[in-house]
């Protein structure tokens, strides 16, 4: 079983959180919880390889599906196979991806954040107002915008963890609240006139991949930053206690509390981190469209949640997958791009994305059910 | 397992990168061998009457001019979706021109600029994009002609001393504010005897029920009121509902801007006798004609007019193509229109 664990980097998990063992809480943990890798007793239990194997297989399946889609699209859709345009296209996925990173953690805790689009709008409007009306330097305005994102996230976190409001309700409320504040502050205007060195964040490229300097396939700045955020998120989820605690909370919150995890502070930190990611995403998003508007990023929360769920993170909590979320983002993005390219009308594209989500959700639950039977 | 993963990853990358040289050159000749022009037309959103009517016009023009037409747009009036769709259209390298009704003039500008960089002609229609980002703007009608038609309809029905008020959408809506400014200008020049009873227009935020409430209040508050302009397609039916339930159609003349389908019932009942709008079918028709003329180089800045199929000679002002004067709808002609 050791090699299987090494693959997914779960070996760290075998240094199982000692407090619960020390406190002799093992018997209190309901049977289902024992299937979670972090709670599995070290060096024992056939459950562990099953789970890690399961996670790994899922991601492999997603990767194969992605490649298959890529191959099929390239074969059957004229003009799809074009690196420069695919790379250019990736700019539009960046903001959603950046938000999907903390969303993976939050959904792992069986929570949800519906207010991400609104937090992005609020941050974007802050940026626009400070730069346009208050004539702040763009760098300071950007810092302030990120700070507003963090504050908004912290507000969510406080309401959820200390106000004991279920995340769905709390963020549904702040989704309207933050959007409303953004509307009020901007008086429904669109704010524009950002300098080129700022719009470069969203529209610019770095890294000359294929050596066609000046007119071709670079990697968009925003996409690169997003990949960086996924990498950091992946490390935090798989290699540190943060990810283990998050999944633990999602699997069974009461058990997590008994295991001496500070559930409330953990949630506060996660929702605040989500605000931070939204603040950053807002910068790139505003730069991409060179416009800050209060009704920006409408529906982005659903897109981000869709990526996370397609990627194999269970909506009911307990298991997150960062690489899965990245594959989910790419699968949904390429599906939309390919169908548009094939001149499929917009209304049918929504149907396809909806069906994909349902299939992914069913597979997720099936896999989870099989796992707990073992 | 780890090896399987790595091998499949590497193999996948090799397969996809390996495809590139073979597929790219083979595409180019087939494109150049294709004689028919391709035009992509995008409304503000799909699935509403107005933009279904423009679609019929666009299809009619495409058939007439023998060009390939793609008519598609976002499912909500969201400029970000529009930008992403245009990105894909540019990537597909299929289209010679893109005609778009932008939801935001500035947010659409960067992508239109990119389209122009790769030689795609860009046309804005229904609403303008930032002028430096598009080649032409197909303007349904000038603000002056909308204002003139509305005021003339009012004067004809109520007389040159009408006391009226204006119900608008939001106070920040650019085109409604322009129309109201033009209406005031025209009133001072032509109908100095008319009075606007409210200094500021009444906002109804594109909300039909709110328009009904606001109108009901006005009917009670202003005893001397003779005429109401409701100048958004949502405000007019809302106001009509209020006039109907107050049975005030004989005392107050209600007119404004809306679509025939929304107003048919009220016109048949006599609640609204006349209202104004441009012809949506012709607008879509003209957008395609403009795009094609632009590709072929028939449309030159500085020209006074160009010939657009069944519309005949169409007026040009600067880099705008102007559809013409709006239509006045009443019980006699409303059944001929379906949008």
């Amino acid at each position: 079983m050791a090699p299987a664990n090494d693959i997914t980097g779960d070996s760290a998990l075998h240094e199982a959180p000692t407090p619960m063992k020390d406190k002799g809480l093992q018997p209190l943990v309901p049977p289902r919880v024992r299937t979670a890798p972090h709670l599995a007793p070290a060096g024992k239990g056939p459950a562990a390889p099953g789970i890690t194997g399961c996670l790994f297989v899922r991601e492999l399946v997603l990767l194969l599906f992605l490649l298959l889609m890529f191959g099929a699209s390239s074969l059957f859709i004229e003009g799809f196979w074009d690196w420069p345009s695919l790379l250019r296209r990736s700019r539009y996925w960046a903001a959603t991806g950046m938000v999907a990173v903390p969303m993976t953690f939050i959904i792992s805790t069986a929570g949800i954040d519906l207010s991400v689009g609104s937090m992005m709008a609020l941050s974007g409007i802050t940026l626009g107002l400070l730069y346009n009306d208050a004539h702040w330097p763009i760098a300071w305005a950007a810092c302030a915008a990120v700070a507003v994102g963090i504050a908004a996230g912290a507000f969510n976190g406080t309401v959820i963890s200390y106000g004991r409001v279920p995340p769905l309700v709390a963020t549904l409320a702040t989704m309207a609240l933050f959007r409303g504040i953004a509307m009020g502050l901007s008086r429904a205007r669109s704010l524009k006139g950002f300098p080129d060195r700022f719009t470069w964040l969203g529209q610019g490229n770095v890294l000359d991949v294929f050596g066609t300097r000046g007119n071709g396939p670079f990697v968009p700045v925003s996409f690169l930053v997003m990949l960086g955020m996924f990498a950091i998120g992946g490390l935090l989820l798989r290699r540190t206690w943060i990810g283990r605690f998050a999944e633990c909370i999602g699997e069974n919150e009461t058990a997590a509390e008994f295991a001496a995890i500070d559930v409330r502070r953990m949630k506060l930190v996660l929702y605040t981190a989500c605000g931070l990611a939204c603040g950053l995403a807002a910068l790139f998003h505003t730069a991409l469209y060179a416009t800050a508007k209060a009704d920006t990023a409408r529906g982005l929360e659903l897109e981000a949640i869709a990526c996370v769920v397609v990627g194999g993170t269970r909506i009911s909590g307990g298991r997150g997958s960062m690489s899965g979320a990245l594959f989910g983002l790419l699968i949904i993005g390429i599906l939309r791009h390919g169908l548009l390219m094939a001149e499929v009308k917009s209304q049918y594209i929504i149907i396809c994305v909806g069906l994909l989500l349902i299939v992914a959700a069913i597979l997720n639950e099936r896999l989870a059910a099989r796992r707990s039977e073992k | 397992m780890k090896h399987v993963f790595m091998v499949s990853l590497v193999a996948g990358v090799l397969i996809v990168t390996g495809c590139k040289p073979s597929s790219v050159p083979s595409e180019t000749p087939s494109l150049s061998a294709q004689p028919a022009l391709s035009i992509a037309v995008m409304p503000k959103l799909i699935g509403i009457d107005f933009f279904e009517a423009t679609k019929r016009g666009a299809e009619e023009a495409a058939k007439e001019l023998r060009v390939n037409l793609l008519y598609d747009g976002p499912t909500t009036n969201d400029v970000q979706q529009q930008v992403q769709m245009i990105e894909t259209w540019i990537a597909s390298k299929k289209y010679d021109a893109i005609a778009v009704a932008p939801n935001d003039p500035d947010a659409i500008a960067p992508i239109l600029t990119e389209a122009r960089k790769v030689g795609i002609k860009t046309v804005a229609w229904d609403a303008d994009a930032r002028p430096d980002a598009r080649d032409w703007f197909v303007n349904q009608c000038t603000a002056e002609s909308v204002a003139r038609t509305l005021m003339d309809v009012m004067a004809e029905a109520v007389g040159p001393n009408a006391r009226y008020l204006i119900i608008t959408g939001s106070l920040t809506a650019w085109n409604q504010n322009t129309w109201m400014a033009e209406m005031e200008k025209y009133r001072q020049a032509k109908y100095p005897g008319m009075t606007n009873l409210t200094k500021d227009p009444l906002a109804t935020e594109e909300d039909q029920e709110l328009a009904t409430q606001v109108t009901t209040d006005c009917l009670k508050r202003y005893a001397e009121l003779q005429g109401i302009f409701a100048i958004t397609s949502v405000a007019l039916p809302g106001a009509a509902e209020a006039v109907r339930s107050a049975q005030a159609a004989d005392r107050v003349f209600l007119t404004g801007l809306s679509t025939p389908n929304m107003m048919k019932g009220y016109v048949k009942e006599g609640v609204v006798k006349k209202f104004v709008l441009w012809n949506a079918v012709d607008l879509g028709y003209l957008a395609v004609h403009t795009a094609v003329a632009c590709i072929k180089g028939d449309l030159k800045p500085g020209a006074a007019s160009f010939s657009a199929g069944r519309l005949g000679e169409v007026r040009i002002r600067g880099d705008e193509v102007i559809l013409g004067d709006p239509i006045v709808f009443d019980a006699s002609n409303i059944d001929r229109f379906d949008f």
Side-chain angles (χ1 to χ4, degrees):
Chain A
M1 67 160 279
N5 279 317
D6 284 337
I7 290 163
T8 44
D10 272 347
S11 53
L13 297 179
H14 285 261
E15 297 145 24
T18 40
M20 52 184 164
K21 264 171 81 184
D22 292 345
K23 287 175 188 171
L25 283 174
Q26 209 76 41
L28 281 178
V29 178
R32 206 165 86 89
V33 177
R34 259 193 276 128
T35 58
H38 16 271
L39 295 181
K44 191 209 130 192
I51 289 137
T52 48
C54 203
L55 261 177
F56 178 69
V57 166
R58 270 205 64 88
E59 277 146 20
L60 192 68
V61 166
L62 280 169
L63 182 67
L64 286 177
F65 184 69
L66 185 64
L67 289 176
L68 199 75
M69 229 168 66
F70 234 95
S73 303
S74 312
L75 274 180
F76 298 112
I77 301 171
E78 189 194 339
F80 178 87
W81 186 251
D82 183 17
W83 266 116
S85 64
L86 280 171
L87 283 171
R88 284 165 43 88
R89 179 83 199 169
S90 68
R91 293 185 297 185
Y92 299 94
W93 305 334
T96 314
M98 289 176 192
V99 174
V101 173
M103 191 69 89
T104 305
F105 281 93
I106 289 178
I107 293 181
S108 300
T109 68
I112 199 145
D113 191 342
L114 295 176
S115 69
V116 287
S118 302
M119 285 198 278
M120 279 178 62
L122 189 56
S123 291
I125 287 295
T126 308
L127 174 76
L129 285 176
L130 289 178
Y131 178 73
N132 267 350
D133 291 6
H135 305 290
W136 284 31
I138 190 72
W140 287 108
C143 292
V146 175
V148 165
I150 295 175
F155 181 75
N156 273 340
T158 312
V159 171
I160 290 163
S161 53
Y162 295 97
R164 297 271 178 193
V165 181
L168 186 75
V169 180
T171 58
L172 189 66
T174 54
M175 175 164 93
L177 179 71
F178 296 149
R179 181 82 66 187
I181 297 174
M183 284 276 180
L185 286 177
S186 66
R187 280 171 283 130
R189 284 176 300 159
S190 53
L191 303 158
K192 40 221 168 197
F194 295 103
D196 286 347
R197 65 199 151 94
F198 174 70
T199 52
W200 175 82
L201 284 179
Q203 297 171 19
N205 304 301
V206 283
L207 289 185
D208 191 339
V209 180
F210 296 101
T212 49
R213 195 165 291 280
N215 57 349
F218 301 113
V219 175
V221 183
S222 50
F223 191 68
L224 208 63
V225 172
M226 183 205 82
L227 288 179
M229 285 171 71
F230 266 105
I232 295 169
L235 285 177
L236 289 178
L237 184 68
R238 279 283 147 259
R239 301 270 172 163
T240 70
W241 54 271
I242 299 177
R244 267 179 287 150
F245 282 13
E247 290 184 337
C248 201
I249 293 171
E251 190 70 46
N252 188 325
E253 198 171 320
T254 320
E257 266 170 12
F258 278 128
I261 295 174
D262 190 341
V263 172
R264 286 201 273 182
R265 185 187 291 170
M266 186 73 202
K267 283 187 178 176
L268 177 63
V269 168
L270 287 182
Y271 284 93
T272 308
C274 191
L276 166 68
C278 289
L280 289 173
L283 298 185
F284 291 95
H285 195 69
T286 307
L288 176 58
Y289 297 101
T291 315
K293 252 182 127 179
D295 63 354
T296 195
R298 267 187 294 176
L300 190 131
E301 59 281 340
L302 298 182
E303 268 176 54
I305 294 168
C307 297
V308 174
V309 171
V310 167
T313 298
R314 256 170 83 202
I315 198 80
S316 48
R319 183 162 50 91
S321 167
M322 200 54 73
S323 51
L326 178 59
F327 293 143
L329 178 79
L330 296 178
I331 287 173
I332 293 179
I334 285 169
L335 181 73
R336 278 178 191 274
H337 181 61
L339 290 174
L340 261 181
M341 208 88 164
E343 296 195 1
V344 175
K345 292 287 168 71
S346 307
Q347 54 267 51
Y348 303 116
I349 295 179
I350 313 180
I351 296 177
C352 291
V353 174
L355 289 176
L356 176 73
L357 261 177
I358 291 179
V359 171
I362 292 176
L363 283 179
N364 270 347
E365 290 308 314
R366 278 285 163 82
L367 274 176
R370 244 191 26 212
R371 214 181 51 178
S372 47
E373 275 166 23
K374 269 183 188 172
Chain B
M1 277 294 247
K2 191 172 190 171
H3 298 290
V4 178
F5 179 81
M6 286 313 288
V7 165
S8 60
L9 185 72
V10 170
V13 169
L14 283 180
I15 290 165
V16 275
T17 40
C19 286
K20 199 191 173 198
S22 60
S23 61
V24 167
S26 66
E27 272 167 26
T28 337
S30 72
L31 271 179
S32 58
Q34 205 176 15
L37 294 173
S38 288
I39 314 276
V41 179
M42 181 185 288
K44 281 184 175 169
L45 72 163
I46 53 169
I48 68 166
D49 282 344
F50 184 84
F51 287 116
E52 287 300 307
T54 54
K55 179 185 183 178
R56 286 200 300 277
E59 281 166 351
E60 183 192 341
K63 212 166 149 194
E64 205 177 283
L65 295 164
R66 298 212 176 88
V67 297
N68 300 321
L69 173 75
L70 172 73
Y71 187 96
D72 194 15
T75 44
T76 59
N77 58 340
D78 181 359
V79 72
Q80 285 147 25
Q81 282 187 46
Q82 288 189 310
V83 171
Q84 295 192 28
M85 289 179 74
I86 294 176
E87 177 79 56
T88 302
W89 288 352
I90 297 173
S92 73
K93 299 192 180 79
K94 274 186 210 159
Y95 303 102
D96 304 288
I98 292 173
V100 56
N103 285 308
D104 184 288
D106 289 280
I108 204 88
I111 194 70
L112 289 185
T113 310
E114 287 194 22
R116 291 176 83 184
K117 265 192 223 153
V118 295
I120 298 172
K121 298 289 179 191
T122 56
V123 173
W125 59 282
D126 189 60
D128 205 355
R130 215 171 60 203
D132 63 290
R134 46 86 180 152
D135 293 302
W136 288 90
F137 171 41
V138 180
N139 195 344
Q140 51 270 57
C141 35
T142 60
E144 306 95 81
S145 71
V146 172
R148 215 170 39 210
T149 314
L150 283 170
M151 293 303 276
D152 287 344
V153 165
M154 182 64 75
E156 189 196 342
V158 187
N161 296 313
R163 289 181 295 274
Y164 66 89
L165 56 80
I166 303 176
I167 295 172
T168 184
S170 82
L171 296 175
T172 54
W174 180 83
N175 44 3
Q176 276 118 0
N177 286 347
T178 322
W179 294 330
M180 285 188 286
E182 290 294 333
M183 283 165 79
E184 181 57 21
K185 230 195 269 171
Y186 187 64
R187 184 195 68 81
Q188 286 170 2
K190 179 108 183 268
Y191 303 112
M194 281 197 185
T195 327
N196 188 345
L197 291 175
T198 58
K199 198 170 111 277
D200 293 313
L202 303 158
T204 56
E205 307 301 337
E206 300 292 337
D207 179 342
Q208 196 161 332
E209 283 170 24
L210 188 58
T212 308
Q213 280 174 30
V214 166
T215 313
T216 309
D217 292 346
C218 288
L219 290 171
K220 279 187 200 139
R221 195 187 313 158
Y222 300 101
E224 71 277 34
L225 184 65
Q226 291 175 304
I228 298 175
F229 293 105
I231 58 170
T232 84
S233 65
V234 181
L236 185 55
E241 194 54 50
V243 169
R244 173 161 68 184
S245 48
Q247 297 180 320
D250 299 328
R251 161 165 88 82
V252 175
F253 178 79
L254 172 65
T255 188
L257 304 170
S258 194
T259 66
N261 281 354
M262 287 180 98
M263 296 310 296
K264 233 162 234 176
Y266 298 111
V267 169
K268 294 270 159 76
E269 283 179 51
V271 175
V272 173
K273 286 165 197 86
K274 284 183 175 178
F275 67 97
V276 177
L277 201 70
W278 39 91
N279 188 327
V281 178
D282 289 355
L283 181 59
Y285 181 85
L286 183 58
V288 170
H289 265 281
T290 306
V292 172
C294 187
I295 302 165
K296 290 184 175 162
D298 299 343
L299 206 53
K300 294 200 175 58
S305 68
F306 92 105
S307 163
R310 65 170 167 82
L311 297 176
E313 288 295 310
V314 174
R315 194 150 60 93
I316 294 177
R317 193 179 62 183
D319 53 6
E320 291 184 15
V321 177
I322 294 157
L323 177 61
D325 289 330
I327 308 172
V328 177
F329 298 93
D330 58 23
S332 69
N333 69 0
I334 195 164
D335 286 326
R336 300 213 311 268
F337 299 95
D338 181 20
F339 62 92

